[in-house]
């Protein structure tokens, strides 16, 4: 009889062991409110090249505008090209930070 219905044997043996012990509720995680300054500092520590790239981009842009107003067109054009370069480096660092975060979260 046991050989014909082995699944019944497992259920019968499991029921013979008694009910399982009650599970203890796991504590819920607590989250703290993070303000703008705390979030900015945390993100800057995680990927410091992004704010550095932004500062360089703004600095080169401002210097390029000053040169343009003074009539130094050659220097102004050079600064606008440098601005594009720094913008590109900033985007590369943003993407690199996202890839690093993704790889870190998978491990």
């Amino acid at each position: 009889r046991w050989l014909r219905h082995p699944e019944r044997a497992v259920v019968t043996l499991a029921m013979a062991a008694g009910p399982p012990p009650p599970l203890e509720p796991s504590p819920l995680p607590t989250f703290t409110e993070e303000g703008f300054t705390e979030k900015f500092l945390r993100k800057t520590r995680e990927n410091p090249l992004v704010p550095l790239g932004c500062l360089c981009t703004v600095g080169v842009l401002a210097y390029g505008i000053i040169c343009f107003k003074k009539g130094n067109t050659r220097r102004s054009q050079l600064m606008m090209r440098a601005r594009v370069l720094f913008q590109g480096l900033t985007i590369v660092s943003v993407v690199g930070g996202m890839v690093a975060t993704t790889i870190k979260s998978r491990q």
Side-chain angles (χ1 to χ4, degrees):
R1 183 172 171 185
W2 292 94
L3 296 176
R4 281 189 225 155
H5 303 288
E7 66 276 355
R8 284 187 188 169
V10 172
V11 171
T12 306
L13 290 174
M15 290 171 42
L23 297 175
E24 295 180 18
S26 60
L28 295 174
T30 57
F31 297 101
T32 58
E33 283 295 318
E34 186 177 41
F36 175 77
T37 306
E38 292 87 11
K39 185 174 182 178
F40 178 77
L41 291 174
R42 179 176 55 84
K43 294 285 187 178
T44 301
R45 274 185 248 113
E46 289 174 3
N47 195 356
L49 295 178
V50 174
L52 181 65
C54 291
L55 286 174
C56 290
T57 302
V58 169
V60 168
L61 176 65
Y63 185 64
I65 290 172
I66 291 169
C67 290
F68 180 75
K69 287 203 177 236
K70 287 184 178 179
N72 191 348
T73 56
R74 177 171 267 181
R75 176 68 53 101
S76 175
Q77 284 297 312
L78 181 66
M79 290 299 111
M80 291 305 120
R81 291 182 185 132
R83 175 191 58 88
V84 171
L85 175 73
F86 280 115
Q87 279 179 324
L89 291 175
T90 303
I91 290 173
V92 167
S93 64
V94 167
V95 172
M98 289 171 49
V99 169
T101 303
T102 303
I103 291 171
K104 189 185 297 184
S105 68
R106 287 186 181 177
Q107 291 178 350

